[in-house]
Each structure stands twice: as C-alpha cells, then as structure tokens.
C-alpha cells in the first residue's frame, strides 16, 4: 500500500514476471493505468499510457499527482497490458490523505484578538505613538491567550477540514462522534471512509444550545454510518466552520475595487468607525485580520471660517455630512478629532483626541480619516479573492464577557507595567498586588458564560 497527500506526487510502479519467482519480463507494449476510488468507484485517473515510463526490464512507472480537492480515502491503481497477445493486469492500493487543514497552516491563534487597540487606548487615553501601540498590542495578545486558557476554548471562527479516528477507542457509541475541544459552528461536508454522509443523515448536537456543537450523531433512522475506511486512522473528515459562534455585524462597505493580493483596503466612514487594529472582518466569503490603519483623504475639506484652538470650537463644517460617521476619528493638520454626532453638514467633534494637540485650522484644510486598513488576506482558513467596490464589510463580534475580560486583563497589565509591577494595596500581612477590584468577578463571569466545562461520565 502507498500513501500520498492530495496535491503532492507519488511514484507508482508495476513489475511483471512470467511466473512467481521468475525474472522480470517486458510486456508487448506500454501498459495503461487507471485509478478509481475503492469506496465510490469514481474515476480519479482515466485509463492512460501518457506519462507511463519504462525504467527497466519488466518495470513500468507513473508519477501521479492527485488533485488537492480529491476526497481522501483508498484508491485502486489498475495496470492493464498485453503479454504474448493475452491481457494481463496488476493492481496497487493507494491511500490519499488530505493536505494540511487550513487550521494547521494559517490560523495560529497568535495575532487573533478579542479586543482592539483603539478600545484599550480609549480607556487609557494614551497618545498615539509607535511605542504605546507596541505595548498595547502585546498586552492584548497576552490577554487573549489567557482568556482562551481560562475558558478552555478558542472563540474565533475557522473554515477548515479536520480529521478524526473511527472508532476513536473501544466502547464508544457507534453513531456518535464526540468533537471535544474541536467545536463546530456549521458543517459543509461530512465523510467517513471516503463516503459522504449527507446533511439529512446526521444531526449536530446539542440542538437546543448550539452552536457551538460538540458532537455529530448519525441518524439511526438512516443507513449512514461511521467507519468503512481501510484503517481507523483519520477515517472521519469534517469540513466546516469551527469555533464558538459566528456573530457578525454589518460595519460598512469597501471604498475601492479589491484584487486578490492587495493588503491595503480602503473602506467607508462607517467601517472606519466600527473596526480597529485587531478586528476580524469578512468581505464576501473572505476573512481578513486588521493589522494597522492608515490615513486616507476623505475628499472633504474644512468649511466655514475654519476652527480656532479653543475646546468649545467643536463644529466642523463639511460639504457632505453623509460622508462621515459618528464614532469616526478625523485628522485635520496634526490634530485628531472624534466625531460624536452629525447634523446636516456639520460634524460635532471632541477636540485634541487620542493625545493630539489642539490647534487652529484654516478653512480649506484637507480632512483625513483612518479609512485604509492594512490587513492579512485569506485569514482563518478562507481564500483571498477579488471584491467589488461597495461590497459589504462584516465585523466579527466576540462574546461580550470575553471581550470585557480581555480589555480588563490588558489594562491591568499595562498599568502594572507602568509602575514596575509594584501597584499594591494594604500593608504588612494584608499587602497584595492591585489587579482591579472587579477583575476576579470578570474572570468568573467569562468562565461561567463562555467557558468549556468538562464532559462528565459515569462508569
């Protein structure tokens, strides 16, 4: 038996003898090779002599590269030829293994966060500098991983193919596949032993509480079953969306035509207001991770008489208020301003936002906004693709308790770091590290609401 990973090349070899233990002997002509699925009979390679080599007397070879999309399972390679005018055949079995799942190649949890840089900065009111950004990013990364450890699960959605042994061990219920920590949101394809199990032949459970789903059950009213492969290893193949929950909100839209390789994405005002560094966004079927934000000319200029350098000068006159969104941060000269409300063509702003310095601005000054997102394309098991101008941008929303705890953990780390990890309360025997009055409560709440509890069994 020969193994090959789909998408890679395997050398198949047939050798011919006139009788058992005899010498190798050539056939009348080059034999043909056909490859079919043992489970379904489907043809993976139609009969061909093209590409068949003759490396030595009585030996014929063929370099087969199964498609990366070929269903994993057992395949039969059939060699057919003539010897002294009579038909002769030889067979070889080939096990096709799926390529590494997307979850194993491009979805490491590092860099996937449950809060954004902007959310932390709004809590701390820190100045926009590369140094503070780096410290905040490290704190969010650490906090996100700690919360995953506390809750015993990862929350972000991953499109991937994953494999399970069947039977996983003796004594398992024959129609139930327990996923344990590999939790499912939805299934696109389920197969076992190379045979597809259709959606009307299985249930996702628990039906009343999922997603996430922690087990797949074959309907006992059907003829479907797990097993049937040549071995128990990787017998069950599940392609779907893995994770805790896929809760999304419409953020806005693209402001450009996007090809499949660009990593700088222009978006509209509502998207700029809704997303931050660390957000997971989706356009069509492609997910992207927001890694940075850059300023983009909004096409608008400061109208009216301009702005004075006084805090009560909070009205920014523009040609079209509809081009902006509440919650968006705009940049005029070197001063950032938070758009708190919009009335007609007037933006009501909070001056000197994000650590910038209030200043006077003359009419006609260009208005910028962080509407260019620097992203990781084709993230979380999806494929980078082209997208039309105006395509909807959806924002993945992490569970509320998880987001809140990540914020609290990151803030605590940052504040402790600034004090050399010396923030304490009390004195003497009662002295303790200060970590925030409600941090323990937030941890308990996040675990209660979103933590994965142990599955109990009785013997």
């Amino acid at each position: 038996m020969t193994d090959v990973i789909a998408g890679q090349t395997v050398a198949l070899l047939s050798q011919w003898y006139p009788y058992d233990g005899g010498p190798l002997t050539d056939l009348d002509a080059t034999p043909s090779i056909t490859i079919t699925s043992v489970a379904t009979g489907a043809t993976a390679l139609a009969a061909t002599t093209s590409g068949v080599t003759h490396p030595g007397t009585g030996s014929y070879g063929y370099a087969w590269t199964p498609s990366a999309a070929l269903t994993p399972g057992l395949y039969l390679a059939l060699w057919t030829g003539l010897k002294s005018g009579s038909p002769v055949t030889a067979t070889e079995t080939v096990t096709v293994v799926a390529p590494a799942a997307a979850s194993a190649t491009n979805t490491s949890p590092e860099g996937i966060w449950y809060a954004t840089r902007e959310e932390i900065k709004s809590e701390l009111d820190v100045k926009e500098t590369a140094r503070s950004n780096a410290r905040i990013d490290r704190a969010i990364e650490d906090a996100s991983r700690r919360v995953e450890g506390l809750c015993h699960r990862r929350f972000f959605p991953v499109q991937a193919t994953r494999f399970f042994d069947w039977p996983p061990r003796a004594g398992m219920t024959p129609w139930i596949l327990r996923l344990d920590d590999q939790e499912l949101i939805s299934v696109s394809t389920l197969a076992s032993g190379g045979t597809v199990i259709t959606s009307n032949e299985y249930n996702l459970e628990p039906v009343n509480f999922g997603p996430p789903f922690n087990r797949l059950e074959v309907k006992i009213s059907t003829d479907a079953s797990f097993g049937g492969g040549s071995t128990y290893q990787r017998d069950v193949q599940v392609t779907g969306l893995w994770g805790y929950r896929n809760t999304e909100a419409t953020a806005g839209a693209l402001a450009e035509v996007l090809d499949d390789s660009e990593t700088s994405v222009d978006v509209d005002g509502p998207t700029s207001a809704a997303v931050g560094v660390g957000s997971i966004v989706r356009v069509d079927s492609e997910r992207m991770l927001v890694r940075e934000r850059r300023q983009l000319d909004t096409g608008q200029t400061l109208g009216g008489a301009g702005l004075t350098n006084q805090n009560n000068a909070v009205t920014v006159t523009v040609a079209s208020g509809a081009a902006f969104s509440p919650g968006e941060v705009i940049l005029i000269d070197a001063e950032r301003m938070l758009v708190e409300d919009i009335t007609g063509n007037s933006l009501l702003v909070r001056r000197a936002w994000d650590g910038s310095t209030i200043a006077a601005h003359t009419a006609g000054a260009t208005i910028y906004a962080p509407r260019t997102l620097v992203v990781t394309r084709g993230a979380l098991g999806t494929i980078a693709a082209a997208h039309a101008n105006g395509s909807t941008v959806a924002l993945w929303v992490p569970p509320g308790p998880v987001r809140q705890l990540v914020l609290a953990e990151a803030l605590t780390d940052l504040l402790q770091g600034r004090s050399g990890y010396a923030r304490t309360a009390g004195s003497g025997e009662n002295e303790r590290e200060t970590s925030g009055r409600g941090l323990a409560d937030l941890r308990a709440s996040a675990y209660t609401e979103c933590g994965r509890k142990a599955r109990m069994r009785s013997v």
Side-chain angles (χ1 to χ4, degrees):
M1 179 181 291
T2 302
D3 293 348
V4 60
I5 297 174
Q8 298 187 14
T9 301
V10 62
L12 303 179
L13 181 69
S14 66
Q15 293 184 309
W16 304 84
Y17 305 87
Y19 52 85
D20 286 344
L24 289 167
T25 182
D26 282 342
L27 301 181
D28 296 349
T30 300
S32 66
I33 182 172
T34 305
I35 302 177
T36 57
S37 167
V38 172
T40 66
T43 300
L45 176 69
T48 184
T49 57
S50 177
V52 175
T53 62
H54 185 34
T57 301
S59 298
Y60 298 88
Y62 182 79
W64 182 44
T65 306
S67 166
L70 189 67
T71 302
L74 193 64
Y75 287 79
L76 182 69
L78 173 64
W79 295 86
T80 303
L82 293 173
K83 178 61 177 177
S84 301
S86 299
V88 290
T89 61
T91 59
E92 179 182 4
T93 54
V94 181
T95 300
V96 176
V97 180
S103 58
T105 56
N106 69 343
T107 57
S108 168
E110 284 74 21
I112 300 175
W113 302 342
Y114 303 118
T116 66
R117 180 193 295 170
E118 288 75 9
E119 288 173 318
I120 295 293
K121 295 179 77 169
S122 66
E123 295 285 343
L124 292 175
D125 192 24
V126 298
K127 186 175 182 179
E128 176 90 22
T129 66
R131 184 174 64 180
S132 64
N133 287 347
R135 291 184 65 246
I136 290 170
D137 293 353
R138 287 196 300 269
I140 301 174
E141 171 69 30
D142 292 346
S144 296
R145 304 291 77 80
R146 284 201 302 271
V147 172
E148 288 176 344
L150 172 70
C151 294
H152 307 298
R153 63 172 24 128
R154 293 174 181 171
F155 298 92
F156 51 87
V158 177
Q159 185 68 38
T161 297
R162 293 179 179 171
F163 299 88
F164 302 86
D165 293 347
W166 188 265
R169 57 182 174 270
M172 295 296 290
T173 308
W175 62 87
I176 298 177
L177 174 67
R178 298 190 185 278
L179 305 172
D180 295 325
D181 61 337
Q182 304 294 308
E183 296 175 310
L184 263 173
I185 299 171
S186 62
V187 174
S188 55
T189 304
L190 170 64
S192 183
T195 300
V196 173
I197 302 174
T198 60
S199 59
N200 62 347
E201 294 177 316
Y202 65 85
N203 292 322
L204 286 166
E205 300 292 349
V207 63
N208 294 323
F209 301 100
F213 300 107
N214 58 29
R215 66 186 188 274
L216 282 162
E217 297 188 7
V218 170
K219 293 182 181 179
I220 58 177
S221 60
T222 71
D223 293 330
S225 64
F226 293 124
S230 57
T231 72
Y232 71 93
Q233 293 176 312
R234 299 184 180 182
D235 181 87
V236 180
Q237 170 188 345
V238 185
T239 300
L241 190 63
W242 303 82
Y244 181 71
R245 220 167 256 140
N246 188 30
T247 303
E248 293 183 331
T250 299
L254 294 182
E256 66 167 337
V257 175
L258 192 63
D259 66 25
D260 61 0
S261 61
E262 292 179 80
T263 57
S264 295
V265 181
D266 293 345
V267 297
D268 61 5
T271 303
S272 176
V275 307
V277 175
S279 291
I280 299 172
V281 298
R282 180 181 57 80
V283 181
D284 299 325
S285 62
E286 179 189 354
R287 287 187 175 84
M288 311 176 194
L289 305 180
V290 180
R291 296 304 191 193
E292 200 54 73
R293 302 204 302 169
R294 295 174 182 165
Q295 299 294 334
L296 180 67
D297 188 340
T298 64
Q300 302 274 314
T301 58
L302 178 61
L307 284 172
T308 65
N309 61 348
Q310 297 180 354
N311 286 325
N312 62 357
V314 295
T315 301
V316 175
T317 303
V318 294
S320 173
F324 298 89
S325 179
E328 189 173 17
V329 176
I330 61 174
L331 176 68
I332 302 178
D333 298 326
E335 181 184 354
R336 293 183 181 86
M337 308 173 196
L338 174 66
V339 179
E340 296 187 313
D341 206 349
I342 300 174
T343 59
N345 294 328
S346 296
L347 312 181
L348 303 182
V349 301
R350 186 181 302 181
R351 301 290 300 273
W353 183 252
D354 202 11
S356 60
T357 302
I358 193 168
H361 308 283
T362 59
T366 301
I367 301 176
Y368 296 88
R371 296 181 181 178
T372 295
L373 309 180
V374 180
V375 301
T376 298
R377 299 291 303 273
L380 300 175
T382 62
I383 297 174
H387 306 286
N389 185 15
S391 296
T392 299
V393 177
L395 172 67
W396 181 72
V397 181
V402 171
R403 171 186 168 276
Q404 194 63 34
L405 180 56
V406 168
L407 284 171
E409 295 276 9
L411 287 168
T412 298
D413 274 2
L414 290 165
L415 293 173
Q416 279 287 6
R418 287 180 175 180
S419 65
Y421 294 92
R423 296 174 71 237
T424 60
S427 59
E429 293 182 355
N430 295 321
E431 185 177 12
R432 64 190 185 279
E433 180 180 303
T434 300
S435 60
R437 182 176 181 181
L439 192 55
D441 290 340
L442 286 173
R443 288 171 179 160
S445 175
Y447 180 74
T448 299
E449 294 296 323
C450 303
R452 188 171 68 87
K453 283 70 175 179
R455 176 159 54 89
M456 303 301 294
R457 294 180 181 173
S458 60
V459 179

